[in-house]
Amino acid sequence: MSGKGGTSCSSDPNQYNLFEEPEAEEPPPASPDEEAPSKPKQHPKRRSLEDIPEGIPVEEVYVEPEEDTSQLQVIGEEVSWYYDIVPAKVKVVKIIRRKYTDPADLDRGVIIADLPPRLIDGGNAGEGLLAHAVCAKFVDHMP
């Protein structure tokens, strides 16, 4: 079966063949007395900060000149930005259990809620940390 760029083993006629180069189209020859109009080089459209999808946090980093700017007046600013990924964030989950007592019945003692169940009783690793460690070790082959 023949597709773009040569013979294809795929059933999709639009699938390119990885091992054969496509035939290059030659531009029509220009006559010597006729000059081709020159086009200015077009750069791809840059996305603006308004194009950032909602829900993505924006961290602002101010970079100041090395010289003293305390007596200078700000006349504007130049903003540039980039996407970045923070692959893993570590957080501490504090479990706060309030203690209660019944002033009408002091023999009842202190009343406190039981700790929620965890994978490792008494351990400091939560489910997310354990899942990350298992994936890093066995899926990502990290020590």
Side-chain angles (χ1 to χ4, degrees), residues 5 21 37 41 44 51-55 57 70 72 74 79 90 97 100 103-104 112 115 121 123 131 136-137 141-142:
E21 294 188 25
K41 186 176 180 181
D51 294 336
I52 296 175
E54 289 184 36
S70 60
L72 303 178
V74 177
V79 178
V90 176
R97 302 180 298 154
Y100 296 94
I112 189 169
L115 274 172
D121 288 330
K137 177 132 182 98
H141 305 289
M142 301 292 288

Side-chain angles (χ1 to χ4, degrees), residues 29-130:
S31 61
D33 55 337
E34 183 181 314
E35 289 187 22
S38 62
K39 292 183 185 177
K41 186 176 180 181
Q42 292 183 351
H43 295 284
K45 181 185 175 226
R46 294 203 73 186
R47 300 189 79 174
S48 68
L49 284 170
E50 288 81 28
D51 294 336
I52 296 175
E54 289 184 36
I56 295 181
V58 176
E59 175 185 350
E60 293 182 352
V61 177
Y62 288 88
V63 181
E64 296 290 336
E66 291 183 15
E67 63 186 84
D68 181 27
T69 58
S70 60
Q71 301 298 320
L72 303 178
Q73 180 181 2
V74 177
I75 60 170
E77 58 186 18
E78 186 172 313
V79 178
S80 60
W81 58 277
Y82 59 91
Y83 288 108
D84 200 4
I85 292 179
V86 180
K89 290 185 179 182
V90 176
K91 67 178 180 179
V92 174
V93 179
K94 276 175 43 175
I95 300 170
I96 301 169
R97 302 180 298 154
R98 292 192 172 154
K99 298 178 181 181
Y100 296 94
T101 186
D102 187 357
D105 185 10
L106 296 177
D107 292 333
R108 196 167 167 196
V110 177
I111 302 166
I112 189 169
D114 292 332
L115 274 172
R118 295 202 312 233
L119 290 177
I120 301 175
D121 288 330
N124 288 79
E127 295 84 5
L129 178 62
L130 293 171

